[in-house]
Amino acid sequence: MKSVFVYCEVENKKVAEISQELLSAGKRLAEKLDAPLVAMVNGKDLKGIESQIAPYGVDRLFVGDDVRLEPYRTLPHAALVTKVLKQEDPQIVLFGATSVGRDLAPRIASKLNCGLTADTTILDIGDHFVKKEKKEYTDLLYAIRPAFGGSIMANIINWDMHPQMATVREGVMKKEIFDANYKTEVISVIVNEAVSDTDFVVKIIERHIEESDVNLKDAPIIVAGGYGVGSKENFDLLKNLANILGGEVGGSRAAVDAGFIDHNRQIGQTGTTVRPKLYIAAGISGAIQHTAGMQDASMIISINNDPEAPINALADYVITGDLGVVIPKMIKFYKENAK
Amino acid sequence: MRPLKIVVLAKQVPDTRHVGPDAMKPDGTVNRGKLATVFNPDDLHALELALNIKDRIPGTTVTILTMGPPKAADIIREGYYRGVDNGIMISDRRFGGADTLATSYTIVQGIKKIADYDLIVGGRQAIDGDTAQVGPQCADKLGIPQVTYVEEILDIKEDEIIARRRLETGVETVSAPYPVLMTVHGSSPDCRSRIAKKVMKHKYARTKTEMRKGDPVLEALHLKRPYLVIPEWSVEDIEADVTKIGLAGSPTKVKSVSSIVLTATESKVLNDSDSDIEGMIKELIKHHTIG
Ligand SMILES: Cc1cc2nc3c(=O)[nH]c(=O)nc-3n(C[C@H](O)[C@H](O)[C@H](O)COP(=O)(O)OP(=O)(O)OC[C@H]3O[C@@H](n4cnc5c(N)ncnc54)[C@H](O)[C@@H]3O)c2cc1C
Ligand SMILES: Cc1cc2nc3c(=O)[nH]c(=O)nc-3n(C[C@H](O)[C@H](O)[C@H](O)COP(=O)(O)OP(=O)(O)OC[C@H]3O[C@@H](n4cnc5c(N)ncnc54)[C@H](O)[C@@H]3O)c2cc1C
């Protein structure tokens, strides 16, 4: 049966943002293929969870509900998903490129002996002609991903080993409700038939998860600082600017590593991907791993005392100067000119 | 506390952190020849984690395993310089072109030949393919549990090991029985430096392939000091199924590659003068970008 399958992450009865993005992306692929969208969610106390998932246009939803399934652990989730995948036999399977998805998907791909494309940022459907076999394969998944530290984009396909799996980076797929009243068929999975006691050998002793209060992805304006900001104290200047502009503060990895700013505010290849209306990069050189996460901003301002900083090539406004001088002036003139 | 038999998985990678303009060929493919090769950064963290256990628990042994072209023997020497007990190289032209599925199959065939292990540690991800898939796939093929994104080993007990994991939004402490595979996060401690005495002792370590051209002085030395011969395993040595390795065993294929060109936008170049900055702010307000 042709179908597109999405693995949904859930915690405390709330379906993760990435999973909603994936369901939307999965639906777009399913429509191109004229195939149903199938999803699976595993966790505890999931009664009614379909109300969060069905509106994305899900035709069938598998639910594994068991106290032992939350917080996430690799082995039981892998056993459950593998069982359903064997039974459903979808042609495309999507996971989030999150700490859960990147832990789980390779384990499942290994079990199913299939290909897995990591960290994709573009998904599409297309054809491929295999010269050796003189055969045209149609309706393949094009999983397009950055590699080599973000300096290339590779279109990765898989025509001979079923299914075609991919993990998808957070924040790049547009979330869109398909139909608020969409009817989904809910199928309860009998957990004990899929998992065994040995799947629970890894035990979680302690867990500290900070409900992240930062939402860089949706911020219209981001003021990002790099190593050039120089100290945690100087970052307050950036916070001030962000506050009066109604934006969020972000940082480069060098700024995070130096302890100037929290890890969860890192922008770039190994941080968050953002596409705000305005991105202000202060004291950031513009390494490819950083620009990979912000180059789609509608407008970019670079503040750097090095006129040759690579980031300047991307910027709409290049301000050559010391950020300690420039930012206070931006605050001052904004206050004077804004109504 | 018990002594552990540890296998470290380490990969030689092109240094993608310093991609220069000549790193790309005009057709958009990567010019591997122009990129220096380095010890994959996360794998140095994995090596440190293993060596730290060896410091803490006498009797622990650390074996470093790499799969790659002949040049990857650098990884084994680097391991010796920092304190590993053994090195094993998996190298054969037929392994080339492997994706993560074929890579993990090959590595696992090597681990099965080693046979006796309590802990396998690798990096979280390699900086060229960037997939972070090889670790979990190896664990699956070995039929053992995995603990990904490890930041610190908190306790090593007789029958279980306790580790702290670094997640996107927090940390988690878990226990796992042996044998177990761990992937190590870059936020764990940096690797110790080379130890001068060990460099002296191992700098002439070579694989068979490296010795192929013939070097009478080194050959004589290797006869006297057999520990300088780095074991090198081929397809036959690890009893690999040729349909599961290399390009043939790899379901994912690269259809096309394009390089990312930083498109130079028409930029306005300003300085830190009042007039420049006030002018910019006024334009931004006028175009409703801010305000
Ligand atoms: C696998 C991998 C993944 C990575 N992922 C990421 C990622 O997700 N995000 C990320 O950001 N990086 C990432 N990096 C790191 C990246 O390669 C760079 O090292 C990092 O982005 C550099 O940060 P920076 O620009 O703040 O620092 P630097 O490169 O040190 O630049 C500082 C800049 O500040 C300027 N400056 C100094 N003082 C002042 C001043 N007073 N006023 C104005 N300008 C000043 C300097 O001219 C310079 O341009 C990754 C690297 C690797 C290998
Ligand atoms: C542009 C590009 C894109 C690619 N995309 C994909 C993809 O989407 N899916 C896919 O399956 N393959 C992909 N590959 C192939 C992949 O890079 C290779 O299979 C590679 O051999 C292993 O994957 P990795 O570098 O991503 O390692 P990772 O899985 O990121 O490595 C994790 C850890 O595994 C260990 N390890 C990995 N390789 C070795 C080794 N050779 N020897 C010893 N230890 C090792 C190390 O400890 C390492 O830190 C891609 C390759 C390129 C060049």
Side-chain angles (χ1 to χ4, degrees), chain A residues 102-207:
Chain A
R102 293 181 119 214
D103 178 88
L104 178 63
R107 186 113 197 171
I108 294 171
S110 169
K111 282 188 198 301
L112 297 176
N113 201 38
C114 67
L116 174 60
T117 303
D119 233 5
T120 48
T121 54
I122 302 171
L123 295 170
D124 204 354
I125 300 291
D127 303 337
H128 184 68
F129 183 74
V130 182
K131 281 196 206 107
K132 230 169 46 195
E133 302 174 21
K134 294 208 180 58
K135 189 170 163 194
E136 174 91 0
Y137 286 83
T138 54
D139 288 348
L140 291 175
L141 176 69
Y142 285 178
I144 302 171
R145 59 168 305 225
F148 266 77
S151 51
I152 61 169
M153 291 294 280
N155 180 1
I156 297 185
I157 54 172
N158 162 18
W159 63 80
D160 54 356
M161 282 155 100
H162 197 69
Q164 310 163 80
M165 288 191 22
T167 64
V168 179
R169 193 177 291 178
E170 262 182 290
V172 294
M173 297 293 160
K174 205 166 114 232
K175 203 166 86 173
E176 74 200 320
I177 296 284
F178 181 75
D179 172 359
N181 301 311
Y182 204 80
K183 283 274 165 301
T184 198
E185 180 192 351
V186 179
I187 303 159
S188 295
V189 180
I190 301 169
V191 175
N192 278 328
E193 281 180 3
V195 303
S196 62
D197 288 345
T198 52
D199 288 327
F200 297 97
V201 289
V202 174
K203 302 211 158 56
I204 297 172
I205 300 171
E206 216 180 315
R207 215 159 173 266

Side-chain angles (χ1 to χ4, degrees), chain A residues 99 102-103 107 110-111 145 152-153 155 157 203 205-208 210 269 315-318 329, chain B residues 24 125 129-130 140-141 144 146 148-149 169 172-173 175 253 255-256 258 267-268 270 272 283:
Chain A
S99 54
R102 293 181 119 214
D103 178 88
R107 186 113 197 171
S110 169
K111 282 188 198 301
R145 59 168 305 225
I152 61 169
M153 291 294 280
N155 180 1
I157 54 172
K203 302 211 158 56
I205 300 171
E206 216 180 315
R207 215 159 173 266
H208 292 285
E210 300 110 36
Q269 191 193 331
D316 299 277
Y317 290 95
V318 171
K329 287 192 184 179
Chain B
M24 291 312 206
Q125 71 187 56
D130 268 343
D140 181 67
K141 289 184 168 27
I144 63 175
Q146 71 198 45
T148 46
Y149 327 124
T169 54
E172 192 176 86
T173 303
S175 69
K253 315 268 190 310
K255 179 173 167 65
S256 58
S258 55
S267 37
K268 296 190 180 166
L270 314 176
D272 61 8
E283 279 177 30

Side-chain angles (χ1 to χ4, degrees), chain A residues 226-228 251-255 266-271 283-287 289-290 303-306 309 321-323, chain B residues 17 127 130:
Chain A
Y227 192 68
S252 71
R253 182 153 110 182
Q266 182 180 314
I267 289 161
Q269 191 193 331
T270 44
I284 293 179
S285 60
Q289 295 90 355
H290 184 79
I303 307 169
N304 203 302
N305 55 15
D306 173 8
D322 185 335
L323 63 94
Chain B
R17 293 166 303 180
I127 59 172
D130 268 343

Side-chain angles (χ1 to χ4, degrees), chain B residues 167-202:
Chain B
L167 307 177
E168 290 141 331
T169 54
V171 292
E172 192 176 86
T173 303
V174 302
S175 69
Y178 306 105
V180 60
L181 182 144
M182 294 185 171
T183 74
V184 180
H185 197 272
S187 61
S188 71
D190 285 333
C191 195
R192 62 198 60 195
S193 322
R194 297 172 174 178
I195 302 153
K197 251 170 57 194
K198 302 216 184 259
V199 176
M200 295 301 291
K201 183 170 169 195
H202 292 282

